């Protein structure tokens, strides 16, 4: 039997991470958060004083950080040059800068290669759930199942500001400010030239606005079962 590859894409605040981790756990698959890799790259640029709005400087530095993503869905970690960056990559400073860094083609080429390697390495374990923005369109066009998660901007902002409450350094932002930041980031991610946020033609769209996390997880597990 071939490895199972599940691609989960969509804008921020649709519950992609929680959903993807739970689906991977239920199906006994590995898990990869590609957003965390773009965030880790951004954190490295900020820490090393690379001007994130200077695309040429970002491109030049993009092969310097050593990124290692753990693929255990129960304990996803990311290290940068051997340092655990799981906390620092969630700060507002990183969130505000990540769209600029992720629009740089050299950054994307490097991370897409890491993502395809992680996918190949997961085959022995049965497969992987990969979440991001361009997984179904660009990174893994032959995925077993492609899901595109959506939700209203209001629902997404409410979820995101709830999630950030417990994160040190994430700061306190109202739902309204969170909504504005999120809409701005989605517009940047959808509007960039190199593999923008987009639904693949063969992806199944799931609108999570009125669904509980448990319902979304069940829907995706059922879709995977149907493919096997
Ligand atoms: O999912 P998360 O909000 O952590 O992603 C952070 C940012 O990383 C996104 O806003 C986007 O700019 C970038 N990203 C991307 N392609 C992916 C995953 C994330 O460009 N596959």
């Amino acid at each position: 039997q071939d490895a199972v590859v599940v691609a989960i894409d969509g804008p921020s605040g649709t519950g992609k991470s929680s959903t993807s981790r739970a689906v991977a756990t239920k199906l006994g698959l590995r898990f990869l958060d590609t957003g965390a890799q773009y965030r880790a790259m951004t954190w490295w640029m900020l820490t090393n004083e690379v001007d994130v709005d200077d695309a040429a400087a970002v491109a030049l530095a993009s092969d310097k950080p050593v990124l290692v993503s753990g693929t255990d869905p129960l304990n996803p970690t990311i290290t940068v040059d051997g340092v655990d960056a799981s906390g620092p990559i969630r700060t507002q400073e990183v969130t505000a800068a990540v769209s600029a860094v992720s629009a740089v083609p050299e950054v994307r080429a490097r991370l897409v290669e890491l993502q395809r390697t992680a996918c190949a390495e997961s085959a022995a374990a049965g497969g992987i759930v990969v979440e991001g923005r361009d997984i179904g369109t660009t990174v893994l066009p032959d995925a077993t199942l492609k899901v595109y998660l959506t939700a209203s901007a209001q629902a997404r902002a409410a979820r995101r500001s709830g999630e950030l409450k417990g994160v040190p350094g994430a700061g306190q932002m109202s739902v309204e400010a969170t909504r504005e930041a999120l809409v701005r980031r989605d517009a940047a991610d959808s509007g960039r030239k190199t593999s923008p946020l987009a639904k693949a033609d063969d992806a199944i769209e799931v609108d999570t606005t009125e669904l509980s996390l448990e319902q979304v997880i069940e829907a995706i597990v059922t879709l995977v079962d149907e493919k096997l």
Side-chain angles (χ1 to χ4, degrees), residues 21 31-33 69-78 84 86 90:
R21 286 177 62 182
F31 162 75
L32 182 65
D33 174 357
S69 300
T71 60
D72 176 355
L74 295 176
N75 182 30
T77 53
I78 187 153
D84 184 358
S86 312
R90 304 289 161 194

